Every structure is written in C-alpha cells, then in structure tokens.
C-alpha cells in the first residue's frame, strides 16, 4: 500500500531571497526618509546668510525681529518647492521610462519640459501673462502638445514608436523648441533677463503664492501616476502580453502620460525647466528595489526630493554669498550619469 510522503518543511534558506529583497526595499525607504529629513533641516539652516539655531527656533513663536530670522523664514517655501519639484520630476521620469521602455526617457530629453517652457515664453512675450495660475495652464498645454508631437514623429514608419525613435524624436523636438524660445526672447530686452533666468531652472525666491496654485496639479499627477503603477508593471512585459492579461494598453498609456504631463507642466511653470532629475532618480531606485513600479514610483518621489533639495543646498554653499541655480547643479550631476547609462546599455546591446 502506497502512502504519500509529507513534503519536507521549507528551510529558512529557501525564503532568504524574498525576505532579503523585502528587507532591502524597506531599508532603502527608511534611509531615503532619514536623508530627506536631514536635507530639509540643512536647507532651512544654511544659505547665503549665516544663521544660528536661535534664528531657526525663533520662527516657532512667529518672530521675525532680525534679518537672519527673515532669511530662515524665506527658506521654508524654497525648501518645500525643491522637495515638490524633485518628487514630481522623479516620478514623471519613472513613468516615462515605464511607458516607453526606454532607459533614457526623461521630461527634458523627450522634449516635454521644452514644450512647457515654450508655451510659457509665448504667453509672457506675446500675451503679457503674469499670473502664476495662467503659467500653469500654459505649461501643461505645452507639455502635452510636445509629448503628442514626439510620439507621432516616433510612430512614423515601420515598427512604431520604438525606444530609440522616441529618444531621437525627443532630442530633435527639444532642440527645436528651445531654439524657438530663444528666438522669441532675444528681441525682447524688457523681459529677456527675467525669462532667461527662469529658463535655467531654479527654486530661489520661491513664495507661498507661487506654490499654492500648483499644488492641485501636482497632487493630481502624483495620484494618477500612483494608480498606474501596477499597470506599468504589465506594460513592462510587452504590449501583447499586457493585452493578453486583459489590460487596455492604450488607456493605460494615456492615463499614465496624463499624470506625467501634469507633473512636468505644473513644476516647470513654477521652477522653469530642470533636466536630468527624471533620468537619474529612477535608475537609482531600480538598483535599490528592482523593477516593481509599485516601489519605484514612491521611492522616485523621495529620491527626487532628496536630490533636488541637496543640489539646492550645494548651489547656495559653493558660490556663497551668491548662489548657483539648481538647474545648473542637476546638470553637473546628470550629464556624467547620462553618459554612463548610454555606455552601459550600448555594451549590453552588443
């Protein structure tokens, strides 16, 4: 008489890879949170003007009796804007890389930031728009139109919008739109200095009045992108596989792209075009948590906020008592990282 043998109990070593991966994810999240809290404190404490702990604690009772206390108070909206901008750009970059399955996708490299910037430049130069709320609508419209044009150009010919075609089309459109912005600005000496400073990208001089109108757009974009995380995991398997699993690929792409455009357009209207954050951050997060977008997106928000806040702090300290705009600092970090990514994926494709 045959009897079924009981299966051997699972050994601890069999569960090690899964538990180790989970521990690594939570550890990475905790470290990012701690580093972000530290950067928040440093951003409030350090700047062009020397401040002391008493100046910081003086804000708790609402006193602004000295110039140092006033300087600390002015750093609060600047710090919040840097965190919001980094989170928005990090998440939008991760979504764009997921949608296009292109490791080089980034709001700056795909022409989205350039489209948003051109729309704002046209509104200021030709229509005299000065309200931040109008900037937001123009930037989102310009970002959306630019994304559609890039996708349509990349879709021409056989094979559709491949990652390489998207990257090339984005580079061409970005260069063309940036040239148009420059052509509009050059004859206008009355607004040239202001717009050129804005085009560099920065968070200096931020006020609560600038940040508040952008919050609904940024929160909506983050929510839409967060809801799309599981669907981006399916798209990573390929369009045919995702369709076979019952996912409506076209609807997923439109929804995720809408979230990314809201984030890019909203933050570009306030800060100007800031490049490379959306390129660098998702790659770092993948090294920490793997390819699951349910983890990549929230960690991209934390890492993006940390990167941009840290870059703003360094920009204030390096050129003290002046400062370097955060757009310059991210370019200094992002350009070598971009070269590394290109070389890495080129080697893999050989």
């Amino acid at each position: 008489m045959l009897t079924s043998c009981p299966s051997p109990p699972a050994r601890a070593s069999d569960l090690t890879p899964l538990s180790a991966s989970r521990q690594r994810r939570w550890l990475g999240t905790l470290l990012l949170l701690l580093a972000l809290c530290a950067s928040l404190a440093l951003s409030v404490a350090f700047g062009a003007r020397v401040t002391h702990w008493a100046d910081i604690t003086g804000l708790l009772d609402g006193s602004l009796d000295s110039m140092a206390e006033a300087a600390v108070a002015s750093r609060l909206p600047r710090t919040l804007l840097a965190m919001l901008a980094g989170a928005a750009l990090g998440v939008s970059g991760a979504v764009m890389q997921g949608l296009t399955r292109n490791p080089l996708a980034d709001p700056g490299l795909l022409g989205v930031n350039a489209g948003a910037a051109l729309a704002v430049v046209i509104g200021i130069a030709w229509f005299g728009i000065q309200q931040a709320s109008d900037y937001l609508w123009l930037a989102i419209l310009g970002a959306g139109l630019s994304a559609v044009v890039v996708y349509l150009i990349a879709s021409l010919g056989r094979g559709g919008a491949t990652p390489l075609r998207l990257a090339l089309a984005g580079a061409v459109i970005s260069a063309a739109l940036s040239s148009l912005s420059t052509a509009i600005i050059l004859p206008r000496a009355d607004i040239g200095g202001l717009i050129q400073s804005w085009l560099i990208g920065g968070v200096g001089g931020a006020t609560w009045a600038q940040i508040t109108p952008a919050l609904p757009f940024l929160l909506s974009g983050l929510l839409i992108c967060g809801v799309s995380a599981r669907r981006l995991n399916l798209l990573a398997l390929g369009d045919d596989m995702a369709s076979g699993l019952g996912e409506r690929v076209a609807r997923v792409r439109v929804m995720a792209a809408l979230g990314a455009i809201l984030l890019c357009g909203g933050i570009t209207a306030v800060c100007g075009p800031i490049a490379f954050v959306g390129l660098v951050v998702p790659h770092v997060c993948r090294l920490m948590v793997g390819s699951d977008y349910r983890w990549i997106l929230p960690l991209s928000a934390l890492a993006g906020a940390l990167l941009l806040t840290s870059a703003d702090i360094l920009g204030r300290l390096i050129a003290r008592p002046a400062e370097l705009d955060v757009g310059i600092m991210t370019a200094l970090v992002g350009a070598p990282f971009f070269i590394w990514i290109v070389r890495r994926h080129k080697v893999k494709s050989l």
Side-chain angles (χ1 to χ4, degrees):
M1 180 176 176
L2 297 176
T3 58
S4 58
C5 296
S7 57
R11 294 175 297 177
S13 58
D14 297 333
L15 304 178
T16 299
L18 180 60
S19 60
S21 175
R22 191 171 297 156
Q23 289 177 359
R24 186 174 69 250
R25 289 173 176 178
W26 285 112
L27 179 60
T29 303
L30 178 60
L31 291 176
L32 282 177
L33 283 172
L34 293 175
L36 184 58
C37 291
S39 67
L40 171 62
L42 292 174
S43 180
V44 174
F46 292 98
R49 177 178 290 273
V50 178
T51 55
H52 303 284
W53 179 249
D55 302 319
I56 300 174
T57 56
L59 294 177
L60 298 177
D61 57 9
S63 64
L64 296 175
D65 299 331
S66 65
M67 290 296 294
E69 290 178 346
V72 172
S74 68
R75 292 172 193 162
L76 292 176
R78 175 176 187 157
T79 301
L80 176 61
L81 181 57
M83 294 174 63
L84 287 173
L89 294 173
V91 172
S92 62
V95 169
M96 288 183 181
Q97 291 176 12
L99 284 176
T100 61
R101 294 195 292 276
N102 184 355
L104 302 181
D106 167 77
L109 297 176
L110 291 183
V112 179
N113 282 353
L118 176 61
V120 173
V121 168
I122 290 175
I124 294 174
W126 294 353
F127 300 101
I129 293 176
Q130 298 179 353
Q131 298 296 324
S133 58
D134 296 328
Y135 289 173
L136 287 165
W137 288 108
L138 284 173
I140 291 171
L141 177 62
L145 290 176
S146 177
V148 170
V149 170
V150 169
Y151 186 80
L152 290 177
I153 292 176
S155 300
L156 298 176
R158 293 182 178 180
T162 63
L164 178 59
R165 288 181 177 178
L166 282 169
L168 293 175
V172 171
I173 293 300
S174 181
L177 296 180
S178 298
S179 298
L180 284 175
S181 297
T182 303
I184 294 172
I185 294 170
L186 284 178
R188 298 293 303 273
D190 55 331
I191 61 173
L194 174 64
I195 295 182
Q196 286 179 347
S197 176
W198 175 80
L199 286 174
I200 296 175
V203 295
T207 62
W208 298 115
Q210 289 177 312
I211 298 173
T212 303
L215 287 178
F217 297 94
L218 299 179
L219 294 177
S220 300
L222 290 173
L223 179 61
I224 293 172
C225 291
V227 171
S228 306
R230 185 185 65 83
R231 295 176 174 87
L232 289 174
N233 286 336
L234 296 178
L235 289 184
L237 302 175
D239 290 355
D240 294 337
M241 181 67 73
S243 298
L245 294 174
E247 199 63 66
R248 297 182 180 180
V249 175
R251 187 174 68 177
V252 173
R253 290 187 183 279
V254 170
M255 182 174 71
L258 175 62
I261 288 170
L262 286 173
L263 293 174
C264 295
I267 213 62
T268 300
V270 181
C271 301
I274 299 175
F276 292 112
V277 176
L279 173 69
V280 173
V281 167
H283 284 278
V284 175
C285 293
R286 286 191 188 92
L287 294 176
M288 296 172 59
V289 299
S291 58
D292 189 347
Y293 279 92
R294 292 174 297 181
W295 282 91
I296 289 175
L297 294 187
L299 260 68
S300 293
L302 293 176
L306 174 61
L307 173 61
L308 210 61
T309 306
S310 302
D312 183 41
I313 296 170
L314 288 176
R316 282 183 257 168
L317 295 180
I318 290 176
R320 204 170 187 177
E323 63 181 50
L324 293 177
D325 287 320
V326 71
I328 298 175
M329 299 302 299
T330 56
L332 292 175
V333 174
F337 195 88
F338 175 74
I339 296 172
W340 176 77
I341 294 173
V342 171
R343 290 179 61 84
R344 180 169 177 259
H345 285 273
K346 182 180 179 181
V347 170
K348 283 186 176 182
S349 64
L350 293 178

